[in-house]
Amino acid sequence: MPIAAFDERYIEDERTLERLFQFTDYRGCYSWETLFLPILIGAVDNNYTRQIMHSYFLSQEKLLYIDVGVEAAWVPRDGRPREEWTEEELQRHTNTGCTGQVVAGLRMNGKTVLEPVAGRFPDILEDKDEIVPFGMACSQVIASEPQRLITNRFAAQAVAGYLNELFGERTLSTHVTFFHAKKMYMRGVRISS
């Protein structure tokens, strides 16, 4: 029986995550085969928050952390309307914003079994992200780093695949999924052991 909690606000510190996972009343759910596995799904648009989620992940005894990342579509920073873009700018815009990845990190018994997104892509931890989420309105982020609807749908489909396998078969077979919405493909990196 999955129990869900969410927060519409930006994650500013680990305390926010701790509050989301504080519900521990599992009465009536126990059996010998029951495994309680908290799941953190990070669908954020900045490495500032990923760094917080990474730290939280490392502090947990057990946690499945599914991180979703999509490439922003490039737009000129000066805010000109599309009709005023140069041919090169139009081309650059057309060729960006179509890729992304989903990474499943897993901790069990206080040990990292599958590296989380920042373990797979360590530059996330080194990034001094200019987007400090609580200092910016969402509309500002979207205007400067727009995302394509189809790319977000590919991301959601990949996450749904992880959850479907976990809930339906009680297993995970894929560590990372890369996708490209424009080229219409999704490729998973299988868990080797």
Side-chain angles (χ1 to χ4, degrees):
M1 175 174 80
I3 299 169
F6 70 95
D7 199 320
E8 293 176 345
R9 297 166 297 178
Y10 282 112
I11 302 298
E12 299 177 13
D13 53 41
E14 286 186 53
R15 286 187 313 258
T16 305
L17 293 171
E18 289 166 5
R19 280 194 303 275
L20 290 173
F21 287 98
Q22 72 183 356
F23 180 79
T24 57
D25 183 9
Y26 301 117
R27 285 176 281 187
C29 300
Y30 291 106
S31 76
W32 289 107
E33 291 113 29
T34 302
L35 169 67
F36 294 104
L37 180 63
I39 302 171
L40 170 61
I41 300 176
V44 299
D45 56 8
N46 64 84
N47 287 338
Y48 180 90
T49 305
R50 281 190 181 90
Q51 291 167 3
I52 293 169
M53 291 180 174
H54 180 77
S55 179
Y56 180 78
F57 172 83
L58 293 176
S59 73
Q60 298 305 296
E61 189 67 20
K62 62 183 172 188
L63 179 69
L64 174 60
Y65 168 27
I66 300 174
D67 182 86
V68 184
V70 297
E71 170 195 28
W74 180 88
V75 294
R77 295 280 181 198
D78 58 14
R80 285 176 287 128
R82 190 180 186 124
E83 301 79 42
E84 296 177 15
W85 294 1
T86 66
E87 191 60 40
E88 292 81 24
E89 289 171 331
L90 284 168
Q91 193 64 33
R92 185 171 179 192
H93 174 74
T94 300
N95 292 325
T96 58
C98 300
T99 64
Q101 76 284 326
V102 174
V103 178
L106 179 64
R107 280 186 64 83
M108 296 296 291
N109 302 319
K111 294 187 184 339
T112 299
V113 178
L114 291 175
E115 285 295 328
V117 67
R120 185 74 188 211
F121 303 104
D123 58 311
I124 289 171
L125 297 176
E126 297 164 10
D127 190 7
K128 302 296 181 220
D129 204 330
E130 61 191 48
I131 299 174
V132 177
F134 53 85
M136 264 184 128
C138 203
S139 58
Q140 290 174 295
V141 174
I142 293 298
S144 66
E145 307 242 350
Q147 296 177 358
R148 298 185 188 279
L149 178 60
I150 189 67
T151 308
N152 283 324
R153 294 218 171 159
F154 264 69
Q157 187 66 34
V159 171
Y162 282 83
L163 296 177
N164 183 61
E165 182 180 14
L166 182 65
F167 295 146
E169 300 171 30
R170 296 181 178 202
T171 189
L172 281 178
S173 60
T174 305
H175 181 200
V176 182
T177 302
F178 296 99
F179 54 88
H180 196 299
K182 191 172 184 178
K183 294 180 180 177
M184 302 297 289
Y185 79 77
M186 200 174 283
R187 178 181 56 86
V189 176
R190 309 293 282 182
I191 298 170
S192 57
S193 57

